[in-house]
Amino acid sequence: MRMPGKRQREVPGQQSIDDYQLAQVDVRLVLKESASLYSTESLSGPEQAARIMAEAMKDLDREMVCVVNMDNHLRPINYNVVSIGSLNASVVPVQNVFKSSILSNAGSIMLIHNHPSGEITPSSEDYEITRRLVEAGKLMDIPVIDHVIIGAGAGRRYSFREDQPDLFNGSPDFSFISRMTADRKGVSEMANAYPSEMSVLHDYSQVKKNLFIRLCNAEKNSTALKAVPHRQEADLAMTYHVRIDLPGEGMGSAMVTNEMLKNFGVSEAQLHEDAMQNSKEMLPAKFAPMATILFGVPEEQAMAEGEIPMMVLTNEKQVYGASALFYPEQFENMEEKLGGSYFVLPSSVHEIIAVPDDGSLEAKDLEEMVTEINASQVEPRDQLSDHVYHFDARERKFELAADYETRMNQKEQAKGKDSILRKLDEKKHEAGKHAPDRHHQKAKTAEAAR
Protein backbone atom coordinates (compact mmCIF):
# COMPACT_ATOMS: atom_id res chain seq x y z
CA MET A 1 0.00 0.00 0.00
CA ARG A 2 1.31 3.42 -0.93
CA MET A 3 1.69 5.67 2.09
CA PRO A 4 0.49 9.30 1.84
CA GLY A 5 3.16 11.76 0.72
CA LYS A 6 5.54 9.09 -0.56
CA ARG A 7 6.21 8.19 -4.16
CA GLN A 8 7.03 4.55 -4.85
CA ARG A 9 8.95 3.12 -7.77
CA GLU A 10 9.30 -0.63 -7.67
CA VAL A 11 11.89 -0.92 -10.47
CA PRO A 12 14.16 1.86 -11.77
CA GLY A 13 13.00 3.09 -15.15
CA GLN A 14 9.58 1.47 -14.79
CA GLN A 15 6.56 3.71 -14.40
CA SER A 16 4.81 3.47 -11.07
CA ILE A 17 1.03 3.33 -10.73
CA ASP A 18 1.17 7.11 -10.14
CA ASP A 19 2.64 7.86 -13.54
CA TYR A 20 0.32 8.52 -16.46
CA GLN A 21 -1.86 5.46 -16.05
CA LEU A 22 -5.63 5.33 -16.26
CA ALA A 23 -6.83 2.28 -14.38
CA GLN A 24 -9.82 0.27 -15.52
CA VAL A 25 -12.35 -0.51 -12.81
CA ASP A 26 -15.48 -2.64 -12.68
CA VAL A 27 -18.41 -1.05 -10.93
CA ARG A 28 -21.09 -3.18 -9.37
CA LEU A 29 -24.06 -1.58 -7.65
CA VAL A 30 -25.13 -3.35 -4.50
CA LEU A 31 -27.45 -2.63 -1.63
CA LYS A 32 -25.68 -2.32 1.70
CA GLU A 33 -27.56 -2.04 4.94
CA SER A 34 -26.54 0.70 7.33
CA ALA A 35 -28.02 2.09 10.52
CA SER A 36 -31.73 1.41 10.95
CA LEU A 37 -34.59 3.45 12.31
CA TYR A 38 -36.88 1.66 14.72
CA SER A 39 -40.54 2.21 15.42
CA THR A 40 -43.07 0.93 17.92
CA GLU A 41 -45.80 1.11 15.26
CA SER A 42 -46.21 -1.06 12.23
CA LEU A 43 -44.64 0.42 9.08
CA SER A 44 -47.66 -0.42 6.95
CA GLY A 45 -47.75 2.67 4.75
CA PRO A 46 -46.18 6.00 3.76
CA GLU A 47 -47.81 7.94 6.61
CA GLN A 48 -46.02 5.84 9.23
CA ALA A 49 -42.71 6.13 7.36
CA ALA A 50 -43.09 9.92 7.19
CA ARG A 51 -43.64 10.10 10.97
CA ILE A 52 -40.56 7.99 11.68
CA MET A 53 -38.40 10.03 9.30
CA ALA A 54 -39.74 13.30 10.71
CA GLU A 55 -38.66 12.31 14.20
CA ALA A 56 -35.17 11.45 12.94
CA MET A 57 -34.72 14.58 10.79
CA LYS A 58 -36.33 17.35 12.82
CA ASP A 59 -33.17 18.31 14.76
CA LEU A 60 -30.63 18.16 11.92
CA ASP A 61 -28.61 21.35 11.33
CA ARG A 62 -28.45 20.98 7.55
CA GLU A 63 -30.73 19.79 4.79
CA MET A 64 -30.82 16.08 4.16
CA VAL A 65 -32.81 14.46 1.37
CA CYS A 66 -34.01 10.89 1.79
CA VAL A 67 -35.95 8.54 -0.45
CA VAL A 68 -38.20 5.92 1.13
CA ASN A 69 -38.64 2.92 -1.17
CA MET A 70 -42.08 1.26 -1.13
CA ASP A 71 -43.27 -2.13 -2.30
CA ASN A 72 -46.35 -2.60 -4.48
CA HIS A 73 -48.59 -2.43 -1.41
CA LEU A 74 -47.08 0.94 -0.35
CA ARG A 75 -45.24 -0.69 2.54
CA PRO A 76 -41.78 0.82 3.23
CA ILE A 77 -38.84 -1.38 2.20
CA ASN A 78 -35.94 0.84 3.21
CA TYR A 79 -34.70 4.42 3.02
CA ASN A 80 -31.65 5.98 1.42
CA VAL A 81 -29.95 9.34 2.04
CA VAL A 82 -29.47 10.76 -1.45
CA SER A 83 -28.13 14.22 -0.63
CA ILE A 84 -26.77 16.29 2.24
CA GLY A 85 -26.66 19.98 1.48
CA SER A 86 -25.96 23.32 3.12
CA LEU A 87 -28.26 25.07 5.57
CA ASN A 88 -30.52 26.36 2.80
CA ALA A 89 -30.11 24.24 -0.27
CA SER A 90 -29.61 20.71 -1.47
CA VAL A 91 -28.80 19.37 -4.91
CA VAL A 92 -30.78 16.24 -5.82
CA PRO A 93 -29.66 14.38 -8.97
CA VAL A 94 -32.36 12.16 -10.42
CA GLN A 95 -30.02 9.21 -10.80
CA ASN A 96 -29.16 9.29 -7.09
CA VAL A 97 -32.82 9.23 -6.10
CA PHE A 98 -33.79 6.22 -8.19
CA LYS A 99 -30.60 4.18 -7.81
CA SER A 100 -31.62 2.50 -4.56
CA SER A 101 -35.23 2.23 -5.79
CA ILE A 102 -34.22 0.14 -8.78
CA LEU A 103 -31.95 -2.08 -6.70
CA SER A 104 -34.71 -2.50 -4.09
CA ASN A 105 -37.26 -3.42 -6.78
CA ALA A 106 -39.46 -0.63 -5.44
CA GLY A 107 -42.98 -0.18 -6.75
CA SER A 108 -43.03 3.51 -5.73
CA ILE A 109 -41.05 6.02 -3.68
CA MET A 110 -41.61 8.90 -1.29
CA LEU A 111 -39.18 11.80 -1.04
CA ILE A 112 -38.55 13.41 2.37
CA HIS A 113 -36.30 16.32 3.26
CA ASN A 114 -35.94 18.73 6.15
CA HIS A 115 -35.84 22.51 6.52
CA PRO A 116 -33.52 23.35 9.43
CA SER A 117 -35.02 26.85 9.57
CA GLY A 118 -38.32 25.35 10.74
CA GLU A 119 -40.24 26.92 7.83
CA ILE A 120 -42.10 24.19 5.95
CA THR A 121 -43.39 26.29 3.06
CA PRO A 122 -41.82 24.82 -0.10
CA SER A 123 -39.41 26.96 -2.09
CA SER A 124 -39.42 27.26 -5.86
CA GLU A 125 -36.44 24.88 -5.88
CA ASP A 126 -38.45 22.37 -3.84
CA TYR A 127 -41.25 22.52 -6.39
CA GLU A 128 -38.80 22.19 -9.27
CA ILE A 129 -37.14 19.15 -7.72
CA THR A 130 -40.52 17.55 -7.06
CA ARG A 131 -41.74 18.15 -10.60
CA ARG A 132 -38.69 16.67 -12.26
CA LEU A 133 -38.64 13.62 -9.98
CA VAL A 134 -42.36 13.00 -10.54
CA GLU A 135 -41.87 13.12 -14.32
CA ALA A 136 -38.81 10.86 -14.14
CA GLY A 137 -40.77 8.42 -11.97
CA LYS A 138 -43.54 8.27 -14.54
CA LEU A 139 -41.03 7.43 -17.26
CA MET A 140 -39.39 4.74 -15.15
CA ASP A 141 -42.69 3.29 -13.89
CA ILE A 142 -41.63 4.00 -10.29
CA PRO A 143 -44.16 6.66 -9.28
CA VAL A 144 -43.33 9.30 -6.68
CA ILE A 145 -46.27 9.16 -4.27
CA ASP A 146 -45.32 12.25 -2.23
CA HIS A 147 -42.63 14.74 -1.28
CA VAL A 148 -42.75 15.63 2.41
CA ILE A 149 -40.92 18.60 3.97
CA ILE A 150 -40.02 18.32 7.67
CA GLY A 151 -39.67 21.46 9.82
CA ALA A 152 -37.04 21.70 12.55
CA GLY A 153 -37.88 21.37 16.22
CA ALA A 154 -41.55 20.48 16.41
CA GLY A 155 -41.29 18.38 13.24
CA ARG A 156 -44.16 20.05 11.38
CA ARG A 157 -44.76 18.58 7.94
CA TYR A 158 -45.78 19.79 4.48
CA SER A 159 -47.08 17.28 1.89
CA PHE A 160 -46.96 18.09 -1.83
CA ARG A 161 -49.49 15.29 -2.39
CA GLU A 162 -52.01 16.86 -0.03
CA ASP A 163 -51.48 20.42 -1.22
CA GLN A 164 -50.91 19.84 -4.96
CA PRO A 165 -52.38 16.43 -5.91
CA ASP A 166 -52.57 17.25 -9.64
CA LEU A 167 -48.78 17.34 -9.72
CA PHE A 168 -48.70 13.54 -9.37
CA ASN A 169 -51.46 12.62 -11.83
CA GLY A 170 -51.46 11.90 -15.54
CA SER A 171 -48.94 10.59 -18.05
CA PRO A 172 -45.38 11.90 -18.52
CA ASP A 173 -45.37 15.55 -19.58
CA PHE A 174 -42.95 15.49 -22.48
CA SER A 175 -43.53 19.15 -23.24
CA PHE A 176 -42.26 19.97 -19.75
CA ILE A 177 -39.29 17.66 -20.17
CA SER A 178 -38.33 19.15 -23.53
CA ARG A 179 -38.84 22.71 -22.34
CA MET A 180 -36.74 22.35 -19.23
CA THR A 181 -34.00 20.57 -21.18
CA ALA A 182 -33.89 23.40 -23.70
CA ASP A 183 -33.70 25.97 -20.89
CA ARG A 184 -30.74 24.07 -19.43
CA LYS A 185 -32.12 24.28 -15.91
CA GLY A 186 -31.05 20.78 -15.05
CA VAL A 187 -34.60 19.63 -14.48
CA SER A 188 -34.55 16.72 -16.89
CA GLU A 189 -31.53 14.52 -16.48
CA MET A 190 -33.60 11.79 -18.11
CA ALA A 191 -33.93 13.73 -21.35
CA ASN A 192 -30.35 15.05 -21.15
CA ALA A 193 -28.98 11.56 -20.71
CA TYR A 194 -30.93 10.09 -23.62
CA PRO A 195 -31.59 12.93 -26.10
CA SER A 196 -31.71 10.75 -29.21
CA GLU A 197 -33.94 8.20 -27.52
CA MET A 198 -36.39 10.84 -26.31
CA SER A 199 -36.53 12.50 -29.74
CA VAL A 200 -38.35 9.44 -31.08
CA LEU A 201 -41.46 10.72 -29.30
CA HIS A 202 -41.73 13.71 -31.64
CA ASP A 203 -41.46 11.92 -34.98
CA TYR A 204 -44.27 9.53 -35.90
CA SER A 205 -42.18 7.81 -38.55
CA GLN A 206 -39.95 6.72 -35.65
CA VAL A 207 -42.80 6.22 -33.20
CA LYS A 208 -44.59 3.89 -35.63
CA LYS A 209 -41.67 1.43 -35.53
CA ASN A 210 -41.66 1.37 -31.72
CA LEU A 211 -45.39 1.19 -30.89
CA PHE A 212 -46.89 -1.60 -28.83
CA ILE A 213 -50.03 -2.14 -26.75
CA ARG A 214 -50.70 -2.86 -23.10
CA LEU A 215 -53.86 -4.06 -21.41
CA CYS A 216 -55.46 -2.64 -18.27
CA ASN A 217 -58.78 -2.66 -16.43
CA ALA A 218 -60.98 0.08 -17.91
CA GLU A 219 -62.98 0.77 -14.76
CA LYS A 220 -60.01 0.98 -12.37
CA ASN A 221 -58.13 3.27 -14.77
CA SER A 222 -61.10 5.37 -15.95
CA THR A 223 -59.55 8.70 -14.87
CA ALA A 224 -56.18 8.06 -16.52
CA LEU A 225 -57.84 6.79 -19.71
CA LYS A 226 -59.48 10.17 -20.28
CA ALA A 227 -56.07 11.59 -21.14
CA VAL A 228 -54.91 8.86 -23.50
CA PRO A 229 -56.16 7.23 -26.72
CA HIS A 230 -57.43 3.72 -26.00
CA ARG A 231 -59.77 1.03 -27.25
CA GLN A 232 -62.07 -0.99 -25.00
CA GLU A 233 -63.10 -4.65 -25.27
CA ALA A 234 -65.52 -5.81 -22.56
CA ASP A 235 -64.06 -4.23 -19.38
CA LEU A 236 -60.48 -4.23 -20.72
CA ALA A 237 -58.73 -1.26 -22.29
CA MET A 238 -55.83 -1.28 -24.74
CA THR A 239 -53.41 1.63 -24.38
CA TYR A 240 -50.57 2.55 -26.73
CA HIS A 241 -46.92 2.83 -25.76
CA VAL A 242 -43.64 3.77 -27.42
CA ARG A 243 -40.55 1.70 -26.74
CA ILE A 244 -37.48 3.74 -25.75
CA ASP A 245 -34.15 1.91 -25.71
CA LEU A 246 -32.01 3.29 -22.90
CA PRO A 247 -28.29 2.55 -23.45
CA GLY A 248 -27.02 0.19 -20.80
CA GLU A 249 -30.37 0.10 -19.00
CA GLY A 250 -32.59 -1.99 -21.24
CA MET A 251 -35.98 -0.96 -22.57
CA GLY A 252 -38.15 1.85 -21.28
CA SER A 253 -41.48 3.06 -22.61
CA ALA A 254 -43.79 6.05 -22.71
CA MET A 255 -47.58 6.00 -22.95
CA VAL A 256 -49.10 7.84 -25.90
CA THR A 257 -51.27 10.71 -24.66
CA ASN A 258 -54.01 12.62 -26.47
CA GLU A 259 -51.65 15.57 -26.82
CA MET A 260 -48.96 13.38 -28.36
CA LEU A 261 -51.46 11.86 -30.80
CA LYS A 262 -52.50 15.34 -31.88
CA ASN A 263 -48.86 16.26 -32.51
CA PHE A 264 -48.30 13.05 -34.49
CA GLY A 265 -50.97 14.14 -36.96
CA VAL A 266 -52.47 10.65 -37.36
CA SER A 267 -55.88 9.25 -36.50
CA GLU A 268 -56.53 7.04 -33.50
CA ALA A 269 -57.55 4.27 -35.90
CA GLN A 270 -54.15 4.49 -37.62
CA LEU A 271 -52.37 4.48 -34.26
CA HIS A 272 -54.28 1.35 -33.26
CA GLU A 273 -53.53 -0.47 -36.50
CA ASP A 274 -49.82 0.35 -36.36
CA ALA A 275 -49.54 -0.63 -32.69
CA MET A 276 -51.31 -3.95 -33.21
CA GLN A 277 -49.12 -4.98 -36.13
CA ASN A 278 -45.94 -3.84 -34.46
CA SER A 279 -46.75 -5.52 -31.12
CA LYS A 280 -47.00 -8.87 -32.84
CA GLU A 281 -43.51 -8.44 -34.30
CA MET A 282 -41.83 -6.70 -31.35
CA LEU A 283 -43.30 -8.91 -28.60
CA PRO A 284 -44.38 -12.19 -30.24
CA ALA A 285 -47.14 -14.14 -28.53
CA LYS A 286 -46.34 -17.33 -26.64
CA PHE A 287 -49.27 -19.75 -26.21
CA ALA A 288 -48.44 -23.03 -24.49
CA PRO A 289 -49.65 -25.36 -21.70
CA MET A 290 -49.13 -24.04 -18.18
CA ALA A 291 -46.73 -26.89 -17.36
CA THR A 292 -44.62 -25.90 -20.37
CA ILE A 293 -44.49 -22.21 -19.39
CA LEU A 294 -43.82 -22.83 -15.69
CA PHE A 295 -41.76 -26.02 -15.63
CA GLY A 296 -40.50 -26.58 -19.16
CA VAL A 297 -42.51 -29.78 -19.69
CA PRO A 298 -42.60 -30.64 -23.44
CA GLU A 299 -45.84 -29.32 -24.94
CA GLU A 300 -46.95 -32.70 -26.34
CA GLN A 301 -46.50 -34.32 -22.93
CA ALA A 302 -48.29 -31.49 -21.12
CA MET A 303 -51.25 -31.65 -23.51
CA ALA A 304 -51.54 -35.43 -23.11
CA GLU A 305 -51.44 -35.37 -19.31
CA GLY A 306 -54.20 -32.87 -18.64
CA GLU A 307 -57.87 -33.78 -18.95
CA ILE A 308 -58.70 -30.12 -19.60
CA PRO A 309 -55.59 -28.37 -20.94
CA MET A 310 -54.87 -25.07 -19.18
CA MET A 311 -53.07 -22.91 -21.69
CA VAL A 312 -51.13 -19.74 -20.89
CA LEU A 313 -50.93 -16.79 -23.28
CA THR A 314 -48.18 -14.23 -22.80
CA ASN A 315 -45.37 -12.74 -24.91
CA GLU A 316 -41.81 -13.95 -25.28
CA LYS A 317 -40.61 -11.56 -22.56
CA GLN A 318 -43.53 -12.54 -20.28
CA VAL A 319 -44.01 -8.89 -19.36
CA TYR A 320 -47.41 -7.25 -19.99
CA GLY A 321 -48.14 -10.33 -22.06
CA ALA A 322 -51.93 -10.33 -21.52
CA SER A 323 -52.18 -7.81 -24.36
CA ALA A 324 -51.25 -10.59 -26.79
CA LEU A 325 -54.90 -11.68 -26.52
CA PHE A 326 -55.83 -8.93 -29.00
CA TYR A 327 -53.04 -9.47 -31.49
CA PRO A 328 -54.29 -9.99 -35.06
CA GLU A 329 -55.57 -13.57 -35.58
CA GLN A 330 -54.77 -14.53 -31.98
CA PHE A 331 -58.34 -15.61 -31.16
CA GLU A 332 -58.30 -17.96 -34.14
CA ASN A 333 -54.86 -19.36 -33.21
CA MET A 334 -56.11 -20.17 -29.72
CA GLU A 335 -59.32 -21.70 -31.09
CA GLU A 336 -57.31 -24.05 -33.27
CA LYS A 337 -55.18 -25.27 -30.36
CA LEU A 338 -58.12 -25.59 -27.96
CA GLY A 339 -60.44 -27.20 -30.49
CA GLY A 340 -63.27 -24.67 -30.39
CA SER A 341 -64.80 -22.14 -28.00
CA TYR A 342 -62.94 -21.32 -24.79
CA PHE A 343 -62.95 -19.34 -21.56
CA VAL A 344 -60.32 -16.66 -20.82
CA LEU A 345 -59.16 -16.18 -17.22
CA PRO A 346 -57.21 -12.94 -16.54
CA SER A 347 -54.29 -14.24 -14.49
CA SER A 348 -52.56 -10.81 -14.46
CA VAL A 349 -51.49 -8.01 -16.79
CA HIS A 350 -48.59 -10.30 -17.74
CA GLU A 351 -50.55 -13.36 -18.89
CA ILE A 352 -53.98 -14.92 -19.31
CA ILE A 353 -55.15 -18.52 -18.96
CA ALA A 354 -57.40 -20.17 -21.55
CA VAL A 355 -59.43 -23.37 -21.04
CA PRO A 356 -61.73 -25.13 -23.53
CA ASP A 357 -65.47 -24.66 -23.12
CA ASP A 358 -66.52 -28.33 -22.96
CA GLY A 359 -69.84 -27.60 -21.27
CA SER A 360 -68.64 -28.52 -17.77
CA LEU A 361 -67.53 -25.02 -16.66
CA GLU A 362 -69.69 -22.13 -15.48
CA ALA A 363 -68.75 -18.45 -15.45
CA LYS A 364 -69.75 -17.99 -11.80
CA ASP A 365 -67.40 -20.71 -10.54
CA LEU A 366 -64.51 -19.43 -12.68
CA GLU A 367 -64.99 -15.83 -11.51
CA GLU A 368 -65.00 -16.90 -7.87
CA MET A 369 -61.66 -18.61 -8.46
CA VAL A 370 -60.15 -15.59 -10.26
CA THR A 371 -61.36 -13.18 -7.55
CA GLU A 372 -59.87 -15.32 -4.79
CA ILE A 373 -56.51 -15.63 -6.55
CA ASN A 374 -56.37 -11.88 -7.24
CA ALA A 375 -57.03 -11.11 -3.58
CA SER A 376 -54.48 -13.55 -2.19
CA GLN A 377 -51.72 -14.00 -4.78
CA VAL A 378 -51.61 -11.16 -7.32
CA GLU A 379 -50.22 -7.75 -6.39
CA PRO A 380 -52.70 -4.91 -6.97
CA ARG A 381 -50.66 -3.24 -9.70
CA ASP A 382 -50.58 -6.54 -11.67
CA GLN A 383 -54.29 -7.36 -11.38
CA LEU A 384 -56.21 -7.20 -14.64
CA SER A 385 -59.81 -8.09 -13.77
CA ASP A 386 -62.00 -10.27 -11.55
CA HIS A 387 -64.17 -11.14 -14.55
CA VAL A 388 -63.90 -14.13 -16.86
CA TYR A 389 -64.31 -13.91 -20.66
CA HIS A 390 -65.49 -16.23 -23.41
CA PHE A 391 -64.71 -16.64 -27.09
CA ASP A 392 -67.59 -18.10 -29.10
CA ALA A 393 -65.99 -19.94 -32.03
CA ARG A 394 -69.31 -20.27 -33.89
CA GLU A 395 -70.17 -16.57 -33.84
CA ARG A 396 -66.57 -15.25 -33.67
CA LYS A 397 -67.43 -13.20 -30.58
CA PHE A 398 -65.32 -12.22 -27.53
CA GLU A 399 -67.32 -11.11 -24.51
CA LEU A 400 -67.74 -11.39 -20.76
CA ALA A 401 -68.49 -14.99 -19.88
CA ALA A 402 -71.56 -13.88 -17.93
CA ASP A 403 -72.85 -12.09 -21.03
CA TYR A 404 -72.20 -15.20 -23.11
CA GLU A 405 -74.22 -17.37 -20.73
CA THR A 406 -77.06 -14.83 -20.69
CA ARG A 407 -77.05 -14.79 -24.47
CA MET A 408 -77.17 -18.60 -24.61
CA ASN A 409 -80.02 -18.73 -22.09
CA GLN A 410 -82.00 -16.21 -24.11
CA LYS A 411 -81.47 -18.32 -27.22
CA GLU A 412 -82.66 -21.44 -25.42
CA GLN A 413 -85.75 -19.60 -24.17
CA ALA A 414 -86.45 -18.28 -27.66
CA LYS A 415 -85.95 -21.78 -29.05
CA GLY A 416 -88.37 -23.12 -26.45
CA LYS A 417 -91.00 -20.54 -27.40
CA ASP A 418 -90.52 -21.35 -31.07
CA SER A 419 -90.99 -25.03 -30.28
CA ILE A 420 -94.25 -24.39 -28.37
CA LEU A 421 -95.59 -22.12 -31.10
CA ARG A 422 -94.65 -24.70 -33.71
CA LYS A 423 -96.56 -27.41 -31.84
CA LEU A 424 -99.60 -25.16 -31.47
CA ASP A 425 -99.47 -24.38 -35.15
CA GLU A 426 -99.24 -28.07 -35.99
CA LYS A 427 -102.26 -28.88 -33.81
CA LYS A 428 -104.22 -26.05 -35.39
CA HIS A 429 -103.33 -27.30 -38.82
CA GLU A 430 -104.28 -30.85 -37.85
CA ALA A 431 -107.58 -29.60 -36.45
CA GLY A 432 -108.28 -27.78 -39.70
CA LYS A 433 -107.75 -30.93 -41.70
CA HIS A 434 -110.45 -32.76 -39.74
CA ALA A 435 -112.92 -29.88 -39.64
CA PRO A 436 -115.01 -31.03 -42.72
CA ASP A 437 -115.37 -34.52 -41.24
CA ARG A 438 -116.70 -33.10 -37.99
CA HIS A 439 -119.12 -30.85 -39.95
CA HIS A 440 -120.35 -33.84 -41.96
CA GLN A 441 -120.79 -35.90 -38.80
CA LYS A 442 -122.75 -33.08 -37.17
CA ALA A 443 -125.08 -32.87 -40.23
CA LYS A 444 -125.68 -36.60 -40.16
CA THR A 445 -126.53 -36.48 -36.48
CA ALA A 446 -129.01 -33.66 -37.04
CA GLU A 447 -130.70 -35.50 -39.91
CA ALA A 448 -131.05 -38.66 -37.86
CA ALA A 449 -132.69 -36.67 -35.10
CA ARG A 450 -135.37 -35.41 -37.55
Side-chain angles (χ1 to χ4, degrees):
M1 176 180 292
R2 179 170 58 87
M3 299 299 292
K6 293 195 175 183
R7 192 174 185 84
Q8 297 180 346
R9 289 183 183 270
E10 289 76 8
V11 180
Q14 178 179 338
Q15 290 180 327
S16 76
I17 198 167
D18 297 304
D19 294 325
Y20 318 118
Q21 295 187 38
L22 185 65
Q24 176 181 339
V25 297
D26 292 325
V27 178
R28 180 177 297 168
L29 297 177
V30 297
L31 287 173
K32 183 178 179 181
E33 290 190 2
S34 187
S36 300
L37 293 177
Y38 294 92
S39 168
T40 57
E41 64 176 315
S42 171
L43 291 178
S44 58
E47 297 81 7
Q48 292 87 347
R51 282 197 291 271
I52 299 301
M53 297 301 296
E55 187 63 28
M57 299 172 70
K58 67 180 184 180
D59 296 323
L60 297 177
D61 65 348
R62 65 186 63 193
E63 285 197 31
M64 182 169 74
V65 181
C66 296
V67 58
V68 178
N69 298 308
M70 308 278 183
D71 66 16
N72 290 324
H73 298 282
L74 296 182
R75 293 187 297 250
I77 303 171
N78 53 40
Y79 79 95
N80 180 37
V81 178
V82 296
S83 179
I84 298 177
S86 63
L87 288 173
N88 59 3
S90 183
V91 179
V92 188
V94 167
Q95 60 268 30
N96 285 4
V97 172
F98 287 97
K99 188 182 298 180
S100 69
S101 309
I102 294 170
L103 293 174
S104 300
N105 197 27
S108 60
I109 67 171
M110 177 172 61
L111 199 69
I112 301 178
H113 89 277
N114 64 308
H115 280 183
S117 65
E119 175 59 58
I120 60 173
T121 303
S123 65
S124 58
E125 289 81 5
D126 292 333
Y127 178 84
E128 190 173 273
I129 288 169
T130 305
R131 181 80 188 275
R132 66 176 171 140
L133 291 175
V134 166
E135 294 303 324
K138 291 176 183 177
L139 282 174
M140 300 176 71
D141 201 22
I142 306 177
V144 178
I145 62 171
D146 202 354
H147 179 186
V148 178
I149 299 174
I150 307 298
R156 294 184 302 129
R157 287 178 287 161
Y158 170 89
S159 164
F160 273 91
R161 166 73 71 173
E162 293 176 2
D163 192 54
Q164 304 183 55
D166 291 343
L167 186 63
F168 299 85
N169 298 329
S171 303
D173 186 344
F174 295 106
S175 297
F176 166 81
I177 292 172
S178 298
R179 185 171 64 254
M180 299 311 292
T181 303
D183 291 344
R184 309 300 296 171
K185 290 185 179 179
V187 175
S188 181
E189 283 91 343
M190 293 291 292
N192 284 331
Y194 312 115
S196 61
E197 287 73 24
M198 296 299 289
S199 66
V200 70
L201 300 171
H202 302 283
D203 181 357
Y204 190 71
S205 65
Q206 296 298 314
V207 165
K208 181 178 178 179
K209 297 183 293 184
N210 291 280
L211 279 172
F212 64 97
I213 63 170
R214 283 185 181 173
L215 210 56
C216 69
N217 185 279
E219 183 178 354
K220 292 179 181 178
N221 295 276
S222 58
T223 300
L225 290 174
K226 293 177 182 177
V228 301
H230 62 279
R231 181 166 296 193
Q232 190 165 334
E233 294 284 350
D235 67 335
L236 303 175
M238 285 174 271
T239 55
Y240 309 100
H241 301 254
V242 185
R243 183 181 69 181
I244 304 173
D245 293 319
L246 306 177
E249 299 185 26
M251 187 183 87
S253 66
M255 183 184 291
V256 176
T257 65
N258 291 335
E259 181 181 355
M260 290 169 64
L261 180 61
K262 182 179 179 181
N263 292 334
F264 292 156
V266 299
S267 66
E268 188 169 329
Q270 184 65 54
L271 179 76
H272 177 80
E273 181 181 343
D274 293 338
M276 293 294 278
Q277 290 294 338
N278 207 50
S279 292
K280 190 176 179 180
E281 298 173 9
M282 185 189 302
L283 299 166
K286 186 174 184 178
F287 187 55
M290 183 177 292
T292 302
I293 297 289
L294 296 181
F295 309 113
V297 176
E299 186 169 335
E300 296 78 11
Q301 179 182 338
M303 292 289 284
E305 290 178 354
E307 294 181 6
I308 300 180
M310 296 189 72
M311 304 288 288
V312 175
L313 175 67
T314 182
N315 57 37
E316 287 193 350
K317 293 185 178 293
Q318 298 185 34
V319 177
Y320 291 103
S323 57
L325 180 65
F326 295 105
Y327 284 5
E329 301 174 359
Q330 188 60 48
F331 286 124
E332 290 75 15
N333 294 339
M334 295 166 67
E335 175 195 344
E336 183 177 349
K337 267 197 171 181
L338 292 169
S341 300
Y342 51 88
F343 288 98
V344 172
L345 286 63
S347 176
S348 76
V349 295
H350 303 298
E351 70 281 315
I352 62 99
I353 296 171
V355 294
D357 178 9
D358 63 354
S360 66
L361 302 173
E362 292 187 5
K364 182 181 178 182
D365 296 333
L366 293 173
E367 288 199 353
E368 287 178 357
M369 180 180 67
V370 170
T371 301
E372 182 181 348
I373 292 175
N374 276 341
S376 60
Q377 300 181 34
V378 184
E379 296 194 2
R381 67 180 297 178
D382 290 337
Q383 292 178 14
L384 186 56
S385 176
D386 287 337
H387 292 136
V388 173
Y389 310 90
H390 185 273
F391 179 74
D392 186 341
R394 179 176 295 180
E395 299 194 18
R396 327 305 304 164
K397 187 176 180 65
F398 174 80
E399 60 195 322
L400 290 166
D403 291 346
Y404 166 74
E405 290 187 349
T406 299
R407 188 162 58 84
M408 291 299 102
N409 289 335
Q410 289 173 346
K411 279 193 171 184
E412 286 298 320
Q413 291 172 7
K415 189 184 296 182
K417 287 181 180 179
D418 287 345
S419 178
I420 292 172
L421 290 173
R422 193 177 301 112
K423 287 180 180 179
L424 287 174
D425 188 58
E426 288 173 357
K427 286 186 177 182
K428 182 179 179 181
H429 181 68
E430 187 69 23
K433 284 171 60 178
H434 295 294
D437 294 337
R438 288 198 298 270
H439 180 73
H440 180 66
Q441 182 63 38
K442 185 176 180 180
K444 286 177 63 178
T445 302
E447 185 175 346
R450 285 197 297 267

